[in-house]
Amino acid sequence: MKLLLDENIPNIIIDYFKTLHLDLKTTQDLSLIQAPDSEIVRRANKTKRTIVTRDLGIIASYPDATRYGLILIRYKGVVPQVLLTTLSVFISSWKKKSLKDRFIMVTQEKYEVFKE
């Protein structure tokens, strides 16, 4: 699973993903801090990475954002431990499966996978 983490993903989630030994790049790694969403989508597609974001606008504005998968993480306030557990369950279930053309919404309680 190759992921591109948007700058709105907090460090606690980034650090947690690192413990799962995923192939991660952040917008900071790719010099995309404060880059427009269009550039993040373009780079993710070029490098065949699944976008991980909290930004609802990226879904509505860029239909090709799901080309290699898009994971939308939703929560309010501080990142709850239960969200990390849900992310772990999702990663365990999908780590070896293709996320191509899929939109995944992860909340504290569950994750849902939608085919685009």
Side-chain angles (χ1 to χ4, degrees):
M1 187 177 288
K2 293 172 57 174
L3 303 177
L4 172 56
L5 284 69
D6 200 354
E7 65 188 83
N8 59 27
I9 299 299
N11 286 334
I12 189 169
I13 293 176
I14 294 170
D15 293 342
Y16 184 68
F17 279 164
K18 286 178 182 175
T19 69
L20 300 176
H21 305 289
L22 300 172
D23 182 351
L24 302 177
K25 294 289 182 189
T26 65
T27 51
Q28 183 175 4
D29 295 336
L30 301 176
S31 299
L32 292 173
I33 294 295
Q34 297 184 347
D37 288 344
S38 59
E39 180 58 21
I40 292 167
V41 170
R42 188 191 72 71
R43 186 72 66 90
N45 289 339
K46 181 179 178 183
T47 58
K48 299 180 181 180
R49 290 186 175 275
T50 298
I51 299 168
V52 181
T53 188
R54 295 182 63 210
D55 183 358
L56 289 171
I58 205 166
I59 299 161
S61 302
Y62 302 96
D64 61 337
T66 61
R67 182 175 297 156
Y68 292 96
L70 187 140
I71 300 170
L72 178 68
I73 299 176
R74 305 301 295 158
Y75 64 92
K76 291 181 182 178
V78 180
V79 175
Q81 182 63 40
V82 68
L83 177 65
L84 299 179
T85 301
T86 303
L87 284 167
S88 180
V89 170
F90 165 70
I91 296 296
S92 295
S93 298
W94 283 84
K95 191 171 187 175
K96 297 191 189 270
K97 297 178 187 175
S98 173
L99 296 178
K100 189 172 167 67
D101 299 321
R102 297 192 188 272
F103 164 64
I104 300 94
M105 185 178 323
V106 179
T107 65
Q108 294 178 168
E109 299 84 20
K110 63 182 178 178
Y111 70 88
E112 295 180 77
V113 179
F114 304 93
K115 180 85 170 151
E116 291 295 309

